[in-house]
Amino acid sequence: MASPLDTETASSANDGEPVRRSVEVEYWVIDERGRLTEPGDLLEASPGVEREFVAPLLEIKTTPCESTDELRDELFGRLGRVLRRAEDRGKRLVPLGTPIHSGSIEDRPNERTRIQDRVLGENFEYVRHCAGTHVHIEQQPGREIDQLNALVALDPALALVNSSPYFRGTKLAAGSRSQLYRRLAYAALPHQGELWPYVPDSEAWARRVDRCYEEFLTEAVISGFDRQYVRSHFEPEGTVWTPIKLRDRFSTVEWRSPDTALPSQVVRLADEIAGIVEHATDVDVRIEGETGRVTNDSIVLPEFEALKSYVDAAIRDGLSSGTVRSYLERMGFDVAAYDPLSHELLATAEPTSSEARALRIQYAERLEQDLSRGARSGSVDPREHRPGADERASRSDSR
């Protein structure tokens, strides 16, 4: 089904500079036998590669990019350099939202992690099994709240890249990472992890952040920490893990909902999200009814109670839900262009630990193939993406 948003209109919606976007994508690191392992010196393979709070996870970040082609080139280039180093070290990267089946996952030594671990208790284990994608879109002065609210309404698009239905070998949901992160990890502090309703203005957003900060500080004190000590490690924005955030630090609106996925899927999704959120800066944005729609001259957001039902179905059923598919099509997405990995995995029986290791190897190969196809398509320099490529001159990360 064709998108209801005319692409020419969307691309010209902002008459000034292009609205920049960037991504942060997390990948599991495995050895040749499919076992989770630490990244080691893979972190030195490219700019924008960082450790995550758990040992077998790394993150690849791009700088703010003015176009989809620029974003694709940078993400594929950085990922390609990491894969070159990984091949030399007998390691691979896995683009799945959870490791499918594993025991406890080790934290890296970090005081922020230690505080969260004590505050959340045993529920913090759910967070350790999550690998996701963050999309940042540059705020447009005076339209930040329209951008934020539009992004809230687009949250069911997480279904487009659901990439694992399993937690410790048991089927949890089409989007098991979202279920783990939102519904289980922050069950005792739901304001920290759940999707927030639309906001009327920036002041209302700031009040919500401050309230969550106070809740977190209170729980930390109850857990035995000194209040000022916790404040020295967490600023207000840093205690909000809601899926969509207004980021003062980066001057972006951030969407934290999607699973990690194949790089081509990540770039496609970031492109569509950025296009719709950019469109929100140039048209009437209003909340009305239960269906939602994007047209060339308006964006109609469904009332929040209706939106929550779409989000629930996106997590539970993914694109197998006709209601989710129809909603995303009305909101401007080319749903037929996506093939979530989670639906492939649902076709298999619940895996054992050894079968999970084999699946991790299989999807590491899929990641490498996806990168190679991107190189062969001519959109990027093939030398950047196959093992043995020369590194480009690095770009400083302006975020």
Side-chain angles (χ1 to χ4, degrees), residues 105-124:
I105 294 176
E106 182 182 354
D107 292 341
R108 293 177 51 238
N110 182 282
E111 198 60 15
R112 283 172 54 90
T113 299
R114 189 175 76 89
I115 294 169
Q116 291 180 73
D117 191 7
R118 190 182 296 180
V119 169
L120 295 180
E122 62 183 15
N123 287 350
F124 195 57

Side-chain angles (χ1 to χ4, degrees), residues 2-312:
S3 164
L5 177 58
D6 183 284
T7 55
E8 183 176 352
T9 301
S11 65
S12 61
N14 189 296
D15 293 329
E17 295 296 318
V19 174
R20 299 186 298 171
R21 72 292 306 262
S22 62
V23 296
E24 307 167 5
V25 191
E26 298 165 346
Y27 295 106
W28 301 104
V29 184
I30 59 172
D31 64 17
E32 292 173 318
R33 296 172 59 184
R35 299 172 301 189
L36 298 176
T37 189
E38 295 205 23
D41 68 352
L42 301 188
L43 302 168
E44 303 166 10
S46 172
V49 183
E50 299 181 5
R51 299 215 53 170
E52 266 297 328
F53 80 98
V54 291
L57 204 61
L58 63 72
E59 180 178 64
I60 299 178
K61 298 182 177 182
T62 72
T63 63
C65 298
E66 295 185 351
S67 69
T68 297
D69 285 346
E70 183 182 352
L71 181 69
R72 180 188 299 109
D73 287 353
E74 188 165 305
L75 177 62
F76 276 49
R78 292 182 171 191
L79 179 54
R81 290 193 287 273
V82 174
L83 290 181
R84 170 194 174 182
R85 179 72 61 85
E87 184 181 56
D88 291 342
R89 303 297 187 266
K91 297 180 180 181
R92 305 178 93 162
L93 303 185
V94 182
L96 298 178
T98 72
I100 301 179
H101 195 309
S102 65
S104 296
I105 294 176
E106 182 182 354
D107 292 341
R108 293 177 51 238
N110 182 282
E111 198 60 15
R112 283 172 54 90
T113 299
R114 189 175 76 89
I115 294 169
Q116 291 180 73
D117 191 7
R118 190 182 296 180
V119 169
L120 295 180
E122 62 183 15
N123 287 350
F124 195 57
E125 179 64 20
Y126 297 124
V127 182
R128 297 183 177 99
H129 292 254
C130 295
T133 297
H134 298 179
V135 180
H136 286 264
I137 301 169
E138 184 178 23
Q139 292 178 22
Q140 298 303 292
R143 299 303 299 264
E144 303 95 330
I145 297 304
D146 285 329
Q147 289 180 291
L148 180 71
N149 288 338
L151 196 52
V152 169
L154 299 179
D155 193 52
L158 65 88
L160 298 170
V161 293
N162 282 338
S163 61
S164 175
Y166 295 117
F167 170 63
R168 288 182 165 170
T170 299
K171 177 186 172 184
L172 195 63
S176 64
R177 170 185 168 271
S178 294
Q179 181 74 2
L180 291 170
Y181 203 93
R182 301 185 188 201
R183 310 288 163 73
L184 299 177
Y186 294 99
L189 290 170
H191 290 152
Q192 261 75 10
E194 277 280 15
L195 181 68
W196 289 359
Y198 307 118
V199 292
D201 50 46
S202 298
E203 290 75 17
W205 174 265
R207 287 194 297 271
R208 287 185 187 176
V209 171
D210 288 343
R211 183 170 64 246
C212 278
Y213 188 46
E214 288 302 316
E215 288 179 358
F216 185 80
L217 291 175
T218 298
E219 290 298 322
V221 170
I222 292 171
S223 300
F225 289 102
D226 175 77
R227 185 180 182 88
Q228 287 305 118
Y229 181 75
V230 177
R231 289 177 64 93
S232 71
H233 288 280
F234 288 93
E235 77 287 354
E237 192 174 275
T239 58
V240 174
W241 293 277
T242 185
I244 294 164
K245 300 173 68 173
L246 192 66
R247 299 301 302 271
D248 289 340
R249 179 181 176 189
F250 300 135
S251 295
T252 64
V253 287
E254 181 186 15
W255 187 39
R256 303 161 52 86
S257 301
D259 288 357
T260 189
L262 298 174
S264 63
Q265 295 175 325
V266 169
V267 171
R268 179 185 293 276
L269 183 59
D271 172 62
E272 293 205 88
I273 284 287
I276 299 169
V277 173
E278 180 176 355
H279 190 50
T281 67
D282 198 53
V283 299
D284 176 50
V285 178
R286 64 184 186 275
I287 302 166
E288 178 182 288
E290 298 183 352
T291 55
R293 65 186 181 276
V294 173
T295 66
N296 287 337
D297 57 6
S298 69
I299 297 180
V300 179
L301 315 180
E303 294 171 0
F304 189 70
E305 287 302 312
L307 174 65
K308 288 198 297 184
S309 69
Y310 295 126
V311 172
D312 289 344

